[in-house]
Amino acid sequence: MSQKNLDTIGLDSEGSPFLIQPLADLASLETYPAQRLLFREGEVHAKIYWIKEGRVRLEMSSARAGAKAMLTAGPGDLLGWSAVLGDQRMTATAVATLETTLIAFDAAALSQLCEQNHDIGYKVMYTIAKSLSKRLVATRLQLLDLFYQPQGTME
């Protein structure tokens, strides 16, 4: 894969091909048409993705409410992060809402590379942490909308 593709998701190397090339060697591009299922909540999935182009809806299920859309992820966003942290069981269902191109990594191979080269590992984990921070803020904002009650109203 081209190193430029990795620049688009924050895995650039600030000019050091020695850091970026091993990542580019592990990465592949995957394209999904609109409405295509990427993975299902609860299933074991061995890949981690960054969205290059397109949009992906993340859904979670509950016995009471059924499947509910929780978030729409777009370019630069991370999907399947639990696979690289050791738990390959997906916490949400992911469905492409537009034609979507993903930068995909085998999670075990990426973890192994991070363990072997700590400079690469730092860059990858930093990028994952930034993505998760962004996701946490989006979730908090969604919860504020969900539980917001205008002043003066009580139920």
Side-chain angles (χ1 to χ4, degrees), residues 81-93:
W81 55 269
S82 54
V84 83
L85 300 178
D87 181 9
Q88 296 182 340
R89 196 159 305 279
M90 295 295 99
T91 59
T93 295

mmCIF file with all atom_site columns, all heavy atoms in Angstrom, residues 81-93:
data_model
loop_
_atom_site.group_PDB
_atom_site.id
_atom_site.type_symbol
_atom_site.label_atom_id
_atom_site.label_alt_id
_atom_site.label_comp_id
_atom_site.label_asym_id
_atom_site.label_entity_id
_atom_site.label_seq_id
_atom_site.pdbx_PDB_ins_code
_atom_site.Cartn_x
_atom_site.Cartn_y
_atom_site.Cartn_z
_atom_site.occupancy
_atom_site.B_iso_or_equiv
_atom_site.pdbx_formal_charge
_atom_site.auth_seq_id
_atom_site.auth_comp_id
_atom_site.auth_asym_id
_atom_site.auth_atom_id
_atom_site.pdbx_PDB_model_num
ATOM 1  N N   . TRP A 1 81 ? -11.234 -1.414  16.896 1.00 0.00 ? 81 TRP A N   1
ATOM 2  C CA  . TRP A 1 81 ? -10.047 -1.188  17.713 1.00 0.00 ? 81 TRP A CA  1
ATOM 3  C C   . TRP A 1 81 ? -9.838  -2.249  18.778 1.00 0.00 ? 81 TRP A C   1
ATOM 4  O O   . TRP A 1 81 ? -8.709  -2.514  19.168 1.00 0.00 ? 81 TRP A O   1
ATOM 5  C CB  . TRP A 1 81 ? -10.098 0.193   18.355 1.00 0.00 ? 81 TRP A CB  1
ATOM 6  C CG  . TRP A 1 81 ? -11.330 0.445   19.161 1.00 0.00 ? 81 TRP A CG  1
ATOM 7  C CD1 . TRP A 1 81 ? -12.500 0.988   18.722 1.00 0.00 ? 81 TRP A CD1 1
ATOM 8  C CD2 . TRP A 1 81 ? -11.522 0.143   20.538 1.00 0.00 ? 81 TRP A CD2 1
ATOM 9  N NE1 . TRP A 1 81 ? -13.413 1.042   19.745 1.00 0.00 ? 81 TRP A NE1 1
ATOM 10 C CE2 . TRP A 1 81 ? -12.829 0.533   20.874 1.00 0.00 ? 81 TRP A CE2 1
ATOM 11 C CE3 . TRP A 1 81 ? -10.719 -0.419  21.530 1.00 0.00 ? 81 TRP A CE3 1
ATOM 12 C CZ2 . TRP A 1 81 ? -13.353 0.375   22.149 1.00 0.00 ? 81 TRP A CZ2 1
ATOM 13 C CZ3 . TRP A 1 81 ? -11.233 -0.571  22.798 1.00 0.00 ? 81 TRP A CZ3 1
ATOM 14 C CH2 . TRP A 1 81 ? -12.542 -0.172  23.097 1.00 0.00 ? 81 TRP A CH2 1
ATOM 15 N N   . SER A 1 82 ? -10.874 -2.882  19.252 1.00 0.00 ? 82 SER A N   1
ATOM 16 C CA  . SER A 1 82 ? -10.710 -3.882  20.312 1.00 0.00 ? 82 SER A CA  1
ATOM 17 C C   . SER A 1 82 ? -9.877  -5.070  19.832 1.00 0.00 ? 82 SER A C   1
ATOM 18 O O   . SER A 1 82 ? -9.214  -5.731  20.634 1.00 0.00 ? 82 SER A O   1
ATOM 19 C CB  . SER A 1 82 ? -12.064 -4.342  20.862 1.00 0.00 ? 82 SER A CB  1
ATOM 20 O OG  . SER A 1 82 ? -12.905 -4.797  19.830 1.00 0.00 ? 82 SER A OG  1
ATOM 21 N N   . ALA A 1 83 ? -9.856  -5.316  18.531 1.00 0.00 ? 83 ALA A N   1
ATOM 22 C CA  . ALA A 1 83 ? -9.077  -6.440  18.007 1.00 0.00 ? 83 ALA A CA  1
ATOM 23 C C   . ALA A 1 83 ? -7.579  -6.262  18.240 1.00 0.00 ? 83 ALA A C   1
ATOM 24 O O   . ALA A 1 83 ? -6.866  -7.223  18.493 1.00 0.00 ? 83 ALA A O   1
ATOM 25 C CB  . ALA A 1 83 ? -9.349  -6.626  16.512 1.00 0.00 ? 83 ALA A CB  1
ATOM 26 N N   . VAL A 1 84 ? -7.090  -5.036  18.168 1.00 0.00 ? 84 VAL A N   1
ATOM 27 C CA  . VAL A 1 84 ? -5.655  -4.809  18.348 1.00 0.00 ? 84 VAL A CA  1
ATOM 28 C C   . VAL A 1 84 ? -5.279  -4.761  19.831 1.00 0.00 ? 84 VAL A C   1
ATOM 29 O O   . VAL A 1 84 ? -4.120  -4.911  20.178 1.00 0.00 ? 84 VAL A O   1
ATOM 30 C CB  . VAL A 1 84 ? -5.184  -3.546  17.601 1.00 0.00 ? 84 VAL A CB  1
ATOM 31 C CG1 . VAL A 1 84 ? -5.436  -2.280  18.397 1.00 0.00 ? 84 VAL A CG1 1
ATOM 32 C CG2 . VAL A 1 84 ? -3.722  -3.642  17.215 1.00 0.00 ? 84 VAL A CG2 1
ATOM 33 N N   . LEU A 1 85 ? -6.259  -4.597  20.698 1.00 0.00 ? 85 LEU A N   1
ATOM 34 C CA  . LEU A 1 85 ? -5.995  -4.557  22.135 1.00 0.00 ? 85 LEU A CA  1
ATOM 35 C C   . LEU A 1 85 ? -6.214  -5.911  22.796 1.00 0.00 ? 85 LEU A C   1
ATOM 36 O O   . LEU A 1 85 ? -6.226  -6.011  24.015 1.00 0.00 ? 85 LEU A O   1
ATOM 37 C CB  . LEU A 1 85 ? -6.863  -3.480  22.801 1.00 0.00 ? 85 LEU A CB  1
ATOM 38 C CG  . LEU A 1 85 ? -6.628  -2.058  22.286 1.00 0.00 ? 85 LEU A CG  1
ATOM 39 C CD1 . LEU A 1 85 ? -7.567  -1.086  22.960 1.00 0.00 ? 85 LEU A CD1 1
ATOM 40 C CD2 . LEU A 1 85 ? -5.183  -1.642  22.469 1.00 0.00 ? 85 LEU A CD2 1
ATOM 41 N N   . GLY A 1 86 ? -6.398  -6.944  22.003 1.00 0.00 ? 86 GLY A N   1
ATOM 42 C CA  . GLY A 1 86 ? -6.465  -8.299  22.535 1.00 0.00 ? 86 GLY A CA  1
ATOM 43 C C   . GLY A 1 86 ? -7.837  -8.927  22.552 1.00 0.00 ? 86 GLY A C   1
ATOM 44 O O   . GLY A 1 86 ? -7.957  -10.135 22.605 1.00 0.00 ? 86 GLY A O   1
ATOM 45 N N   . ASP A 1 87 ? -8.898  -8.138  22.523 1.00 0.00 ? 87 ASP A N   1
ATOM 46 C CA  . ASP A 1 87 ? -10.253 -8.693  22.524 1.00 0.00 ? 87 ASP A CA  1
ATOM 47 C C   . ASP A 1 87 ? -10.818 -8.542  21.125 1.00 0.00 ? 87 ASP A C   1
ATOM 48 O O   . ASP A 1 87 ? -11.131 -7.449  20.695 1.00 0.00 ? 87 ASP A O   1
ATOM 49 C CB  . ASP A 1 87 ? -11.133 -7.955  23.534 1.00 0.00 ? 87 ASP A CB  1
ATOM 50 C CG  . ASP A 1 87 ? -12.546 -8.524  23.595 1.00 0.00 ? 87 ASP A CG  1
ATOM 51 O OD1 . ASP A 1 87 ? -12.801 -9.581  22.990 1.00 0.00 ? 87 ASP A OD1 1
ATOM 52 O OD2 . ASP A 1 87 ? -13.398 -7.894  24.245 1.00 0.00 ? 87 ASP A OD2 1
ATOM 53 N N   . GLN A 1 88 ? -10.944 -9.636  20.430 1.00 0.00 ? 88 GLN A N   1
ATOM 54 C CA  . GLN A 1 88 ? -11.391 -9.570  19.040 1.00 0.00 ? 88 GLN A CA  1
ATOM 55 C C   . GLN A 1 88 ? -12.908 -9.617  18.897 1.00 0.00 ? 88 GLN A C   1
ATOM 56 O O   . GLN A 1 88 ? -13.422 -9.681  17.798 1.00 0.00 ? 88 GLN A O   1
ATOM 57 C CB  . GLN A 1 88 ? -10.739 -10.687 18.230 1.00 0.00 ? 88 GLN A CB  1
ATOM 58 C CG  . GLN A 1 88 ? -9.242  -10.540 18.147 1.00 0.00 ? 88 GLN A CG  1
ATOM 59 C CD  . GLN A 1 88 ? -8.605  -11.616 17.297 1.00 0.00 ? 88 GLN A CD  1
ATOM 60 O OE1 . GLN A 1 88 ? -9.175  -12.672 17.056 1.00 0.00 ? 88 GLN A OE1 1
ATOM 61 N NE2 . GLN A 1 88 ? -7.402  -11.349 16.836 1.00 0.00 ? 88 GLN A NE2 1
ATOM 62 N N   . ARG A 1 89 ? -13.632 -9.551  20.006 1.00 0.00 ? 89 ARG A N   1
ATOM 63 C CA  . ARG A 1 89 ? -15.098 -9.563  19.946 1.00 0.00 ? 89 ARG A CA  1
ATOM 64 C C   . ARG A 1 89 ? -15.586 -8.132  19.733 1.00 0.00 ? 89 ARG A C   1
ATOM 65 O O   . ARG A 1 89 ? -15.253 -7.231  20.492 1.00 0.00 ? 89 ARG A O   1
ATOM 66 C CB  . ARG A 1 89 ? -15.675 -10.148 21.230 1.00 0.00 ? 89 ARG A CB  1
ATOM 67 C CG  . ARG A 1 89 ? -17.108 -10.542 21.087 1.00 0.00 ? 89 ARG A CG  1
ATOM 68 C CD  . ARG A 1 89 ? -17.526 -11.554 22.125 1.00 0.00 ? 89 ARG A CD  1
ATOM 69 N NE  . ARG A 1 89 ? -16.719 -12.757 22.191 1.00 0.00 ? 89 ARG A NE  1
ATOM 70 C CZ  . ARG A 1 89 ? -16.833 -13.824 21.384 1.00 0.00 ? 89 ARG A CZ  1
ATOM 71 N NH1 . ARG A 1 89 ? -17.727 -13.817 20.425 1.00 0.00 ? 89 ARG A NH1 1
ATOM 72 N NH2 . ARG A 1 89 ? -16.066 -14.866 21.533 1.00 0.00 ? 89 ARG A NH2 1
ATOM 73 N N   . MET A 1 90 ? -16.343 -7.926  18.672 1.00 0.00 ? 90 MET A N   1
ATOM 74 C CA  . MET A 1 90 ? -16.786 -6.583  18.307 1.00 0.00 ? 90 MET A CA  1
ATOM 75 C C   . MET A 1 90 ? -17.874 -6.101  19.268 1.00 0.00 ? 90 MET A C   1
ATOM 76 O O   . MET A 1 90 ? -18.754 -6.862  19.666 1.00 0.00 ? 90 MET A O   1
ATOM 77 C CB  . MET A 1 90 ? -17.318 -6.556  16.871 1.00 0.00 ? 90 MET A CB  1
ATOM 78 C CG  . MET A 1 90 ? -16.255 -6.866  15.827 1.00 0.00 ? 90 MET A CG  1
ATOM 79 S SD  . MET A 1 90 ? -14.927 -5.641  15.737 1.00 0.00 ? 90 MET A SD  1
ATOM 80 C CE  . MET A 1 90 ? -13.638 -6.405  16.705 1.00 0.00 ? 90 MET A CE  1
ATOM 81 N N   . THR A 1 91 ? -17.797 -4.817  19.623 1.00 0.00 ? 91 THR A N   1
ATOM 82 C CA  . THR A 1 91 ? -18.743 -4.225  20.569 1.00 0.00 ? 91 THR A CA  1
ATOM 83 C C   . THR A 1 91 ? -19.905 -3.528  19.866 1.00 0.00 ? 91 THR A C   1
ATOM 84 O O   . THR A 1 91 ? -20.804 -3.017  20.524 1.00 0.00 ? 91 THR A O   1
ATOM 85 C CB  . THR A 1 91 ? -18.025 -3.222  21.494 1.00 0.00 ? 91 THR A CB  1
ATOM 86 O OG1 . THR A 1 91 ? -17.424 -2.205  20.685 1.00 0.00 ? 91 THR A OG1 1
ATOM 87 C CG2 . THR A 1 91 ? -16.962 -3.918  22.329 1.00 0.00 ? 91 THR A CG2 1
ATOM 88 N N   . ALA A 1 92 ? -19.869 -3.489  18.535 1.00 0.00 ? 92 ALA A N   1
ATOM 89 C CA  . ALA A 1 92 ? -20.939 -2.865  17.759 1.00 0.00 ? 92 ALA A CA  1
ATOM 90 C C   . ALA A 1 92 ? -21.023 -3.544  16.398 1.00 0.00 ? 92 ALA A C   1
ATOM 91 O O   . ALA A 1 92 ? -20.110 -4.258  15.990 1.00 0.00 ? 92 ALA A O   1
ATOM 92 C CB  . ALA A 1 92 ? -20.671 -1.368  17.591 1.00 0.00 ? 92 ALA A CB  1
ATOM 93 N N   . THR A 1 93 ? -22.112 -3.293  15.713 1.00 0.00 ? 93 THR A N   1
ATOM 94 C CA  . THR A 1 93 ? -22.276 -3.718  14.323 1.00 0.00 ? 93 THR A CA  1
ATOM 95 C C   . THR A 1 93 ? -21.909 -2.531  13.446 1.00 0.00 ? 93 THR A C   1
ATOM 96 O O   . THR A 1 93 ? -22.292 -1.399  13.746 1.00 0.00 ? 93 THR A O   1
ATOM 97 C CB  . THR A 1 93 ? -23.730 -4.146  14.069 1.00 0.00 ? 93 THR A CB  1
ATOM 98 O OG1 . THR A 1 93 ? -24.001 -5.304  14.872 1.00 0.00 ? 93 THR A OG1 1
ATOM 99 C CG2 . THR A 1 93 ? -23.985 -4.467  12.602 1.00 0.00 ? 93 THR A CG2 1
#
